[in-house]
Amino acid sequence: MRTTVFIAVILAACASLVNAQEREVTVKGAVVDSSTGERIPYATVMVSGTTIGTVADINGYFILRNVGAGNLKLRVTAVGFEAKEFDMHDVPGPTVTVQFEIPESPKTLPAVTVTGKLFTGPAGIVSNKVITTAELQKSVGIFKNDVVQYVTQLPGVVTVSGVSSQYFVRGGGADQNLILIDGMQVYNLSHAFGLFSFVDPLIVKVANFSAGGFQAQYGGRLSSVFDIQTIDGDNRAFKAAGTLDLLSSNLELTGPLFSKGNSSFVLFYRRPLYENALNKFYSIGLPFDFYDGFGKMTANLGADGHISAEYLTSADKIASNNVNEPDFTWGDYSGAVSGNYLFGDQYNMKFEFSMSSYKAEQLPKQSNIFGYQMSQISNPALYGSITSYTASRNELNLGFQFNFPSYQYTFTNTYGATQVQSVTQVEPDVWAKYTFKIGTKLSMETGVRSDLQRLFNEISGGGYGYWAEPRISVSYNIDQPVTVYGAWGIYHQRLIDLNDENMVFSPFDLLAPVPDYLGDQVATHYIVGVSLRPDILSTVKAEAYYKNFSRLIAVNRDQVYAWEPDFITGTGEAFGFDLSYRYDTERYYVEGNYSFGKTTRTFEGVTYYPRYDLRHQLNVSAGWQPVNKLWIRARWKLTSGLPYTPIKGFYGIITPDPYHLPNYTQQQLSTQVDFGSLNTARLPGYQSLDLSATYDLNLLGVDFNLSGTVINVYNKRNVFYINNVTGDVVYQLPTVFNLGIGWNL
């Protein structure tokens, strides 16, 4: 009897201890805009009063594992939204799926200036910039809030003119930038010779720009990643929006598709107002035409996930009035079905089936100088990934990206040699990435990506191949405001641009695959940096980088005969550093970026500075809200000069004609040009001050936004290029302006 009583007491005590022990739960779901139902990227979900929390992914989904259920309160925050606290003490089981709804911040002048809205993106990502719609509103350019023009103002990003949307990142070529829109590869973003991009801000939800050191989920390019996510649309009310400026007009329609709260659609269309609009920017006649179209349907699968179908199209045509100048046409056409779903208490699964197409043509008329050029790409792709959130709140990500591209191109060099090719490839890539923390200060992200075809080549010895692309990034929080970090990675690329990188200007890229017998282009990134947060309003950041281009491939521009090689190989390197400072309140902000860089290329024993080797660049932007609903913004840019090839001198040539002696003795000399070493001279530096003003108002229930922009305010005569033969100087934009009106109902 006493034994039984003793056992009963022990069991009761154990039960009491178990009940006293705090129960742990997993909270998962989505964070959405309370007015539209749109999921909010990178929202932060924290356990109130602790440092325990997580960041939602780019689609707004999160999983927070193993948090104490007793008196559980979660604080949800996001840039541009009000912070809100949710009481979770009545969680019924070990796993709960929720949808947190938070409202947008009111667009009025605050009583205090401290907002805490500075945001640098997901933790552990080096050289990464998250571009929100709020960030786009702060950009100053010819066309309001253009997402690519915003990227060209970031540190480490170089353009060869003041308004071009073609950019070069930390010594890499324009073709070395990976561009994704909802996971679909896009091969050209430019409209109208690069004045603006076809990615209209009305359809952008968020974008990630990585200037280097990007992790294993991205591949196929050597220099940078520009990952753009589009909006899903309003699933609660029908809305219409649009803009009208001196160049173009657009229209966007969005609303519930079948039932409110469960599905949505977006339709978007943009066209120019008149074909000669470019004449106000260029002195020569350039009639042009373009259009952009976008459509998307999204069905929500509760708070656990969604599925979307979309189509994106864009096309350009520029016709010169000069019969000796070629016409140009190019376009992108892409479609995808994608989904995102949370299952179990730790898994986030994503998938996508997509088709990306691109075609660009140079169409000569009567000229014998310009030949027919064409580049066409068709790329069906299959993507899948799964992320596991461990009990210790680390993340394991596994994924694959299978591309099946077909390439066709026609290219004629300056000697009249023409290449015509049609190539179909298979690019099966897989990757694994693990993100974890060691203690409270050290974070690491390690990954490896492998091209299975190149791996098979390496194992079998059947050609140029490689085992894998290892990548790692590390950050260490010295104390609360100071974090140091570094990254290293190896990257490969199969595509090259057939255009001459020393051309003053090209409307689009002529892309072609590298022949298998040459192998891939290869680059290795080394990055170190420090980030300072002296207070909640300020951020100071410094990064140094080195890129070793151990293998580069270019088209053989000196090819004359068919037996000569079509391509040549070379090497290169780039190094430099970027400094940035930012101070941001609700009423005013200031941001400064300085970049130093040096880039060299070596082909066939000749080492030179490429056209985009810009040594010094300074961008300063600022904004001020003097009264409610009025913003005045400014951007000042100062750069050193771009390289060009000087003239060594001129010499005369007499063509001997022994059969007609008088013609031989009486003919005049024909002048020939002797050029100096490649790109050893420098153009003058570039300087420009741009201003813009926007004002919001509401009339009869319709929200309007009035905008005005002035580019190159003090009419600085910036040199675009110098014609070495004639001595003519072509200047970049003079003082130009644009007026626009946006509306939303």
Side-chain angles (χ1 to χ4, degrees):
M1 181 65 179
R2 282 180 297 180
T3 302
T4 303
V5 172
F6 177 75
I7 294 174
V9 170
I10 294 297
L11 291 176
C14 291
S16 176
L17 290 174
V18 169
N19 290 331
Q21 189 175 24
E22 185 177 43
R23 181 169 57 94
E24 291 188 338
V25 299
T26 295
V27 182
K28 65 174 184 174
V31 181
V32 304
D33 185 331
S34 61
S35 62
T36 66
E38 181 89 24
R39 291 181 304 280
I40 303 172
Y42 305 130
T44 301
V45 182
M46 300 288 296
V47 178
S48 296
T50 73
T51 59
I52 299 172
T54 188
V55 177
D57 67 9
I58 197 168
N59 291 310
Y61 296 106
F62 71 93
I63 295 178
L64 181 58
R65 295 195 65 192
N66 296 353
V67 293
N71 298 319
L72 177 60
K73 291 184 179 180
L74 297 181
R75 180 177 173 82
V76 181
T77 59
V79 175
F81 291 83
E82 291 186 26
K84 194 172 180 180
E85 200 167 73
F86 296 86
D87 195 333
M88 304 293 295
H89 71 275
D90 291 328
V91 174
T95 302
V96 61
T97 302
V98 296
Q99 180 168 288
F100 293 137
E101 298 187 6
I102 57 177
E104 280 192 283
S105 297
K107 297 179 180 180
T108 58
L109 292 180
V112 293
T113 58
V114 178
T115 66
K117 289 187 177 180
L118 288 179
F119 180 69
T120 57
I125 299 180
V126 176
S127 299
N128 189 74
K129 173 68 175 179
V130 176
I131 306 170
T132 64
T133 55
E135 293 291 323
L136 289 180
Q137 292 173 3
K138 297 177 180 179
S139 65
V140 179
I142 291 181
F143 304 103
K144 182 185 173 187
N145 304 343
D146 185 84
V147 64
V148 180
Q149 285 293 329
Y150 179 87
V151 166
T152 64
Q153 301 173 24
L154 296 177
V157 180
V158 171
T159 63
V160 294
S161 74
V163 295
S164 176
S165 59
Q166 185 183 57
Y167 59 90
F168 308 84
V169 182
R170 290 181 173 177
D175 61 315
Q176 295 175 6
N177 303 316
L178 176 63
I179 302 170
L180 302 171
I181 298 181
D182 291 337
M184 302 177 291
Q185 283 200 45
V186 175
Y187 299 95
N188 184 50
L189 288 175
S190 298
H191 271 322
F193 283 110
L195 279 175
F196 61 106
S197 71
F198 75 73
V199 186
D200 193 277
L202 279 178
I203 67 173
V204 175
K205 177 162 59 176
V206 70
N208 278 327
F209 181 77
S210 176
F214 42 92
Q215 257 297 337
Q217 68 269 33
Y218 297 115
R221 295 295 188 277
L222 297 185
S223 285
S224 74
V225 175
F226 191 15
D227 189 354
I228 303 169
Q229 295 291 317
T230 64
I231 62 174
D232 291 327
D234 195 318
N235 61 33
R236 301 183 180 183
F238 292 98
K239 294 181 180 179
T243 61
L244 177 69
D245 57 42
L246 297 181
L247 180 67
S248 65
S249 62
N250 59 38
L251 174 67
E252 180 189 69
L253 302 174
T254 181
L257 184 60
F258 300 114
S259 59
K260 290 184 178 181
N262 295 321
S263 61
S264 62
F265 75 91
V266 180
L267 295 174
F268 173 83
Y269 188 71
R270 176 168 65 171
R271 282 196 68 87
L273 293 179
Y274 56 99
E275 67 175 13
N276 291 309
L278 281 183
N279 291 347
K280 69 178 183 288
F281 301 110
Y282 295 101
S283 58
I284 58 177
L286 288 172
F288 81 115
D289 190 20
F290 74 87
Y291 71 85
D292 299 323
F294 174 72
K296 186 176 185 180
M297 300 182 297
T298 302
N300 292 326
L301 308 174
D304 288 304
H306 75 280
I307 187 169
S308 296
E310 64 187 286
Y311 181 72
L312 177 69
T313 178
S314 177
D316 272 71
K317 180 179 181 181
I318 292 183
S320 173
N321 293 326
N322 188 339
V323 295
N324 292 315
E325 297 288 339
D327 297 339
F328 302 94
T329 65
W330 67 92
D332 286 276
Y333 316 94
S334 304
V337 175
S338 60
N340 200 153
Y341 192 74
L342 306 177
F343 65 95
D345 65 348
Q346 68 182 95
Y347 299 106
N348 186 352
M349 179 185 69
K350 301 177 183 179
F351 72 89
E352 180 172 88
F353 306 94
S354 67
M355 167 64 84
S356 300
S357 299
Y358 168 73
K359 185 174 183 179
E361 292 181 286
Q362 175 179 286
L363 305 169
K365 296 191 280 289
Q366 297 183 14
S367 172
N368 294 322
I369 300 175
F370 300 98
Y372 175 72
Q373 314 263 44
M374 185 272 289
S375 175
Q376 185 171 357
I377 303 173
S378 178
N379 181 26
L382 175 63
Y383 166 91
S385 75
I386 185 169
T387 301
S388 172
Y389 298 82
T390 69
S392 56
R393 302 187 189 92
N394 297 328
E395 297 178 18
L396 173 64
N397 177 249
L398 305 174
F400 65 88
Q401 173 84 42
F402 292 169
N403 294 313
F404 307 91
S406 297
Y407 304 94
Q408 298 180 41
Y409 64 91
T410 300
F411 170 75
T412 303
N413 69 8
T414 54
Y415 294 96
T418 299
Q419 299 180 28
V420 179
Q421 293 287 341
S422 180
V423 180
T424 299
Q425 294 185 338
V426 178
E427 300 174 1
D429 288 3
V430 296
W431 73 84
K433 183 182 69 170
Y434 191 64
T435 306
F436 60 99
K437 293 184 177 182
I438 302 175
T440 60
K441 293 182 176 293
L442 181 63
S443 298
M444 297 186 67
E445 196 169 59
T446 61
V448 61
R449 185 182 183 97
S450 180
D451 182 320
L452 298 181
Q453 185 186 59
R454 295 298 194 242
L455 176 61
F456 177 79
N457 289 345
E458 181 71 13
I459 295 174
S460 64
Y464 281 95
Y466 58 89
W467 287 97
E469 299 174 330
R471 302 171 191 179
I472 184 171
S473 61
V474 182
S475 65
Y476 182 76
N477 183 233
I478 297 177
D479 54 33
Q480 190 61 31
V482 182
T483 301
V484 294
Y485 55 85
W488 172 85
I490 299 176
Y491 304 87
H492 290 76
Q493 178 171 326
R494 295 189 180 189
L495 279 182
I496 64 170
D497 187 359
L498 299 179
N499 285 325
D500 187 350
E501 67 179 19
N502 293 299
M503 289 175 61
V504 173
F505 190 80
S506 58
F508 48 71
D509 296 325
L510 285 170
L511 300 172
V514 173
D516 284 341
Y517 68 85
L518 288 176
D520 295 351
Q521 299 184 99
V522 186
T524 304
H525 294 193
Y526 304 85
I527 300 172
V528 293
V530 58
S531 177
L532 308 177
R533 290 289 302 274
D535 55 63
I536 199 171
L537 299 175
S538 305
T539 301
V540 181
K541 194 172 184 180
E543 280 191 6
Y545 64 89
Y546 174 74
K547 284 184 183 179
N548 176 25
F549 298 96
S550 56
R551 175 181 289 270
L552 292 172
I553 300 172
V555 66
N556 184 6
R557 301 192 175 281
D558 297 325
Q559 182 188 38
V560 178
Y561 303 105
W563 50 265
E564 294 180 304
D566 294 334
F567 300 92
I568 55 176
T569 61
T571 60
E573 66 175 5
F575 63 88
F577 60 88
D578 300 326
L579 301 175
S580 64
Y581 170 77
R582 184 174 182 177
Y583 185 84
D584 195 351
T585 75
E586 286 282 2
R587 293 189 59 178
Y588 57 90
Y589 64 88
V590 61
E591 182 171 356
N593 300 313
Y594 169 76
S595 297
F596 167 81
K598 183 178 181 180
T599 304
T600 58
R601 295 283 185 269
T602 301
F603 281 93
E604 298 187 316
V606 177
T607 299
Y608 64 96
Y609 305 117
R611 166 76 175 156
Y612 45 86
D613 175 46
L614 189 66
R615 296 298 173 81
H616 303 278
Q617 181 169 243
L618 175 65
N619 274 290
V620 179
S621 59
W624 176 45
Q625 189 183 29
V627 296
N628 191 24
K629 300 182 180 180
L630 173 65
W631 272 99
I632 299 173
R633 309 181 196 274
R635 178 207 176 198
W636 183 61
K637 182 176 182 179
L638 176 66
T639 74
S640 56
L642 292 165
Y644 75 97
T645 302
I647 290 177
K648 185 185 297 183
F650 298 87
Y651 60 92
I653 294 179
I654 297 178
T655 304
D657 189 355
Y659 299 102
H660 299 87
L661 187 59
N663 293 340
Y664 172 59
T665 58
Q666 296 174 14
Q667 69 174 313
Q668 295 181 349
L669 295 176
S670 60
T671 302
Q672 298 294 317
V673 180
D674 186 15
F675 288 99
S677 299
L678 180 62
N679 286 350
T680 53
R682 293 270 169 175
L683 294 172
Y686 176 90
Q687 185 179 155
S688 179
L689 173 65
D690 307 328
L691 297 176
S692 74
T694 61
Y695 184 74
D696 297 325
L697 71 157
N698 185 283
L699 294 175
L700 302 176
V702 180
D703 292 325
F704 291 95
N705 178 268
L706 307 179
S707 63
T709 304
V710 182
I711 302 298
N712 196 10
V713 172
Y714 44 81
N715 197 19
K716 173 70 175 178
R717 288 169 65 83
N718 295 298
V719 175
F720 188 25
Y721 69 93
I722 300 174
N723 188 318
N724 279 339
V725 178
T726 66
D728 293 335
V729 179
V730 177
Y731 295 98
Q732 300 196 40
L733 291 182
T735 299
V736 296
F737 67 92
N738 194 14
L739 299 175
I741 181 171
W743 55 273
N744 192 323
L745 58 85

